[in-house]
Amino acid sequence: MSIYPVLWAVDHAPVRDAEERAILTALVIKGDFDGMNCFRSYGTLAGIARVDAKTVGRRCREMEKRGILRRQTEHLSHAWLRIPEKQRPVPWEVMIPAEWFGPAQLADINDQRASMGRPPLTPENRPSLAEAPPKKTRADKGSKRPKKADQQVDDPGTDSPWVGIDLTGAEACDPGTGSPHPGDYQSGPQGLEVPQPSKSPSESPSEELAPSARSAGDARRASTGSGARAARGGSAASGKRASSRKKSRLTADGARAVAVVEGAVPPSLLELLSGRTVPHTWRVSVLRELDRSGRTPKQLADRVARRWVRHRYQSKLLSGQGLDNPYAVLNALLAAGECPDAGCEDEFLIDTGAECRSCEGRKAQRGRGAVPTQRSGGRAWWECRTCRNPKLERREPKPEDGVCQDCNDEAALALAGLEARLKTTTTEDVND
């Protein structure tokens, strides 16, 4: 995806309305830098533009007639060719005019097209586009809305209990509720008066004329609105949150076990985490892994420290590559292995230290580890003692210590980084 087709579709494309703009933008987002290979299914486009799939097809054909889209038959992408033939969507080429690009942008795009075997963009193969046709106006635009002949001015609109009752004085002016105030400033409000007539003849006059004897607190308790909301989202919700926190709280024994495993997390990884500490969810995952695998906290801590070196995370930091997602690395250091054997710990049995036969079989099936004779052609292979990767004897002879050259280079790089860090620390101490 390039930003130029998206900018053109959003701000400069001669579309008719918002539906066409949404469909066109959704197309170019998944296309190439020059507007080619824009293919998405009508169902996907309909979900993005919030229209029907048939509307998407009709709008695409309309834009094709106006020259905004063109069906692409050459230079199709490999991603489109990998789709089953019966499921392939229409590959569109968005006809962004060549004159829309600046000279430097057009030269850069043509260089990229030349490297891919595509012809350059010119005003001939990417001509300018006509303005969008005007939208159809409503047939009744400009005409006044007709008044209903049977509309009555005195119609109250609802079945009010006040219809047919004669009121005089202040009651006729304001038939709603009233809030009487006491004569002195020391007394509080007396509640609300609802001067509505009773629908039931058995009610007494005092019940008809509102709960003046009720306090304002009683009126609030009788409400079904805020009280129901408070019951759903107030104390009940807080009770759920409190219970969830209580469930995830670590016990004293659990906290001690987690502290052992957390101590194996490298300081360089903690520097990349928020607050320079592991999240609480990771501590809960430690307890779950201890319960699931039956490992001791010391064994789980050894797993974290071993994978930090074996998976070459430390080497990436020392070489300047960095880690894309430190939280994903933190989870990878703790996660269970792929081997179905419960006693296997990273291709070795936790009790005896011998190599796991199940892992050896899986590595052979994936083409790793010991290569079968019929596939190796009689070539000699050996496995590095540190990274467990297979090495060809003809290309890299096996050393006496059984460690490959890549692992030695990483160790040297880590040692150089440690020496530089120690020198920096010593210099700062001397200056202080």
Side-chain angles (χ1 to χ4, degrees):
M1 184 196 76
S2 177
I3 192 62
Y4 298 127
V6 178
L7 292 177
W8 179 82
V10 172
D11 294 332
H12 303 279
V15 294
R16 176 178 295 178
D17 50 21
E19 289 183 357
E20 286 189 357
R21 189 177 300 281
I23 295 171
L24 186 63
T25 305
L27 274 174
V28 298
I29 283 179
K30 292 296 184 179
D32 291 346
F33 60 93
D34 53 357
M36 299 184 68
N37 292 310
C38 300
F39 55 90
R40 304 184 83 174
S41 65
Y42 286 165
T44 301
L45 295 175
I48 297 175
R50 300 298 190 269
V51 295
D52 189 74
K54 294 183 179 179
T55 303
V56 174
R58 184 175 67 255
R59 291 307 183 97
C60 289
R61 290 189 294 270
E62 291 176 358
M63 288 190 286
E64 182 184 10
K65 292 179 181 178
R66 304 202 309 268
I68 300 178
L69 298 179
R70 182 174 66 182
R71 296 177 187 265
Q72 184 176 334
T73 57
E74 298 178 351
H75 309 290
L76 297 170
S77 66
H78 295 287
W80 184 84
L81 294 174
R82 285 195 297 268
I83 301 176
E85 186 174 358
K86 294 183 179 180
Q87 301 177 5
R88 291 174 181 173
V90 179
W92 296 105
E93 179 181 0
V94 180
M95 303 298 291
I96 306 174
E99 62 182 14
W100 182 79
F101 297 100
Q105 299 171 358
L106 187 61
D108 186 20
I109 290 176
N110 286 334
D111 290 342
Q112 297 183 49
R113 287 176 63 90
S115 63
M116 302 174 67
R118 302 177 185 177
L121 296 183
T122 61
E124 287 75 19
N125 57 15
R126 286 289 183 88
S128 58
L129 300 174
E131 293 293 333
K135 293 179 63 176
K136 295 182 179 180
T137 58
R138 294 177 50 178
D140 57 348
K141 183 178 181 180
S143 60
K144 295 183 179 181
R145 181 179 297 178
K147 294 184 179 181
K148 295 182 180 180
D150 56 347
Q151 186 175 4
Q152 298 179 2
V153 180
D154 298 333
D155 187 5
T158 57
D159 296 335
S160 174
W162 290 93
V163 177
I165 299 179
D166 295 333
L167 298 176
T168 58
E171 295 178 350
C173 299
D174 186 11
T177 60
S179 180
H181 294 277
D184 55 350
Y185 67 91
Q186 296 179 352
S187 301
Q190 302 299 319
L192 300 177
E193 289 186 356
V194 186
Q196 298 181 359
S198 173
K199 295 183 180 181
S200 175
S202 60
E203 296 179 356
S204 61
S206 61
E207 294 176 346
E208 294 178 10
L209 296 178
S212 57
R214 292 168 52 188
S215 63
D218 295 335
R220 286 193 296 270
R221 286 194 296 270
S223 173
T224 58
S226 60
R229 287 192 299 269
R232 292 193 301 269
S235 60
S238 61
K240 290 182 179 179
R241 290 194 295 268
S243 61
S244 62
R245 294 194 199 100
K246 189 173 181 180
K247 291 179 181 178
S248 62
R249 186 177 301 171
L250 303 181
T251 61
D253 295 338
R256 285 191 291 268
V258 170
V260 174
V261 183
E262 188 176 350
V265 178
S268 54
L269 179 59
L270 292 176
E271 292 289 334
L272 303 177
L273 301 178
S274 177
R276 297 182 179 181
T277 181
V278 298
H280 179 72
T281 54
W282 191 80
R283 296 188 177 99
V284 176
S285 300
V286 170
L287 295 179
R288 292 176 180 174
E289 182 63 18
L290 289 172
D291 183 57
R292 185 202 64 83
S293 61
R295 302 286 193 269
T296 62
K298 179 62 171 59
Q299 293 173 343
L300 211 57
D302 293 341
R303 176 194 296 181
V304 173
R306 178 177 59 254
R307 290 182 178 179
W308 175 253
V309 178
R310 182 173 177 180
H311 294 179
R312 302 183 178 180
Y313 296 125
Q314 178 68 23
S315 301
K316 291 183 179 179
L317 289 180
L318 295 176
S319 61
Q321 300 180 16
L323 301 177
D324 296 335
N325 190 346
Y327 291 94
V329 173
L330 186 65
N331 293 331
L333 298 178
L334 179 66
E338 300 178 356
C339 184
D341 191 349
C344 178
E345 182 67 27
D346 291 342
E347 302 179 3
F348 290 91
L349 298 180
I350 193 67
D351 298 330
T352 61
E355 295 186 1
C356 178
R357 295 185 178 180
S358 300
C359 293
E360 291 181 358
R362 291 188 300 110
K363 286 194 301 182
Q365 292 178 0
R366 294 197 305 261
R368 298 177 56 190
V371 181
T373 306
Q374 61 270 22
R375 296 186 60 184
S376 63
R379 295 178 292 180
W381 294 79
W382 61 278
E383 188 178 77
C384 176
R385 183 170 56 86
T386 302
C387 65
R388 315 299 298 177
N389 289 331
K391 303 292 179 180
L392 184 61
E393 181 72 27
R394 180 172 57 85
R395 295 182 180 178
E396 184 177 350
K398 183 177 181 180
E400 295 181 358
D401 56 357
V403 181
C404 65
Q405 187 63 33
D406 294 338
C407 293
N408 288 328
D409 294 341
E410 290 185 4
L413 184 61
L415 182 60
L418 182 59
E419 291 177 353
R421 186 175 298 178
L422 290 176
K423 289 181 180 180
T424 304
T425 306
T426 306
T427 305
E428 291 178 356
D429 294 340
V430 170
N431 294 334
D432 293 342

